[in-house]
Amino acid sequence: MSDITSRTSDIPLADRVSHPGYPRSNGYDARWTVDNQMGPHALWLLEWLAPALGLDTLSPGSRVLDLGCGRAMTSIFLAKEYDVQVAAADLWVKPDENAGRIAEAGVADRVLPVLAEAHDLPFGESSFDAIVSVDAYHYFGTDDLYLPTLTRLLKPGGRIGVVVPALREEIDGAEPPEHLKPYWEPGFWSFHTAAWWRRHWTRSGVVKVETADWLEDGWRDWLRWCEVVAEEHTDEFHIRMAGHCAEMLRADQGGTLGFVRVVGRRD
């Protein structure tokens, strides 16, 4: 990987974020994805999750909860690509802000922005055919008691699927690996392995875990995206955060950090 100080602005932005593994995501405006990012490339991660979650098998108009939707990119993607009705729930981004983005994308009839905290969701039991969460579930889902309260919102037979930042191997002790100490934040202790998440969900007794796996070379995509954001974003905060993340991922080289997807079906 090139150093982020060696700019690649002579390469069109669309080419820099085009990914052969995620053809649906390639159809979305690259500048739009940069301007509305809140971390890793959410559309890439959702497209990786989609086949395991069975999104293509949902009937048009099926109801999907997008939990921790951020700036609603994933909610817009779900509506456009799978013709479903989406509740775009987030605590940090206000509904009025997301409503404008949703309307501009032409899916205001299929995506409803909702202000919601993950432990106080304003929906009735069995409201959804599927629940999706991309780069958010680790903030609240490590609680042993959380999944049972969430899955009550699923119809019987419905699936929940999440993608989270993760560890290749669980970390022993109370210290991160030496090479990650300059970058480690307390919140990173919510990162776990695919095996940890499989056991965590299985123990809940409320879902049958169908998938729990590691995204091979996911760190490379994460690094590539951070480099693009560090160069192309217009906000200093995002530039600084993306640059810091890129440094961390270069130091790690995929030895520790990456992504895990987990899919469970409610009986």
Side-chain angles (χ1 to χ4, degrees):
M1 280 294 173
S2 61
D3 191 282
I4 61 171
T5 59
S6 301
R7 293 187 60 83
T8 53
S9 54
D10 55 322
I11 302 173
L13 179 58
D15 292 342
R16 295 178 66 195
V17 301
S18 179
H19 195 300
Y22 305 119
R24 291 179 188 255
S25 300
N26 294 340
Y28 290 77
D29 180 73
R31 171 54 56 188
W32 181 77
T33 61
V34 169
D35 290 345
N36 291 298
Q37 62 80 39
M38 293 181 69
H41 197 307
L43 300 190
W44 291 352
L45 297 178
L46 178 54
E47 194 164 349
W48 178 51
L49 175 64
L53 187 57
L55 288 178
D56 276 322
T57 67
L58 292 177
S59 302
S62 295
R63 297 195 67 204
V64 177
L65 171 61
D66 186 3
L67 183 57
C69 68
R71 293 191 172 95
M73 285 200 300
T74 47
S75 301
I76 291 166
F77 185 94
L78 287 164
K80 282 180 170 286
E81 301 300 322
Y82 303 103
D83 195 22
V84 294
Q85 295 286 328
V86 186
D90 201 81
L91 179 64
W92 296 346
V93 182
K94 299 300 185 285
D96 286 350
E97 182 182 337
N98 274 340
R101 229 178 330 270
I102 290 163
E104 289 172 4
V107 290
D109 60 329
R110 283 172 283 167
V111 181
L112 176 66
V114 179
L115 179 66
E117 200 278 325
H119 296 86
D120 188 23
L121 296 170
F123 308 110
E125 187 168 343
S126 301
S127 291
F128 297 101
D129 299 283
I131 296 174
V132 170
S133 186
V134 175
D135 189 31
Y137 191 82
H138 56 295
Y139 289 117
F140 40 80
T142 58
D143 181 345
D144 290 336
L145 303 179
Y146 184 72
L147 189 62
T149 67
L150 178 62
T151 52
R152 70 176 181 81
L153 304 182
L154 271 178
K155 296 177 181 178
R159 289 185 174 91
I160 175 173
V162 308
V163 179
V164 289
L167 302 176
R168 185 181 291 275
E169 301 290 343
E170 286 294 318
I171 296 172
D172 293 330
E175 296 291 331
E178 194 66 32
H179 68 283
L180 291 178
K181 283 185 177 180
Y183 310 100
W184 199 262
E185 300 176 10
F188 291 0
W189 292 115
S190 66
F191 299 173
H192 292 286
T193 64
W196 187 96
W197 281 106
R198 178 182 290 278
R199 182 183 64 183
H200 183 59
W201 279 23
T202 300
R203 282 177 169 177
S204 75
V206 296
V207 296
K208 178 183 179 182
V209 179
E210 297 181 331
T211 302
D213 59 357
W214 171 263
L215 178 57
E216 199 61 43
D217 282 337
W219 73 274
R220 296 184 186 276
D221 292 341
W222 194 356
L223 173 58
R224 175 185 174 190
W225 179 242
C226 286
E227 291 179 335
V228 170
V229 173
E231 288 190 11
E232 297 289 344
H233 211 285
T234 57
D235 180 82
E236 285 297 326
F237 172 78
H238 289 286
I239 292 170
R240 185 172 64 255
M241 292 297 291
H244 185 73
C245 184
E247 290 178 8
M248 176 181 70
L249 293 167
R250 282 194 213 98
D252 186 53
Q253 291 291 303
T256 308
L257 299 170
F259 298 103
V260 158
R261 67 180 170 184
V262 194
V263 175
R265 178 174 54 81
R266 181 184 178 186
D267 291 332

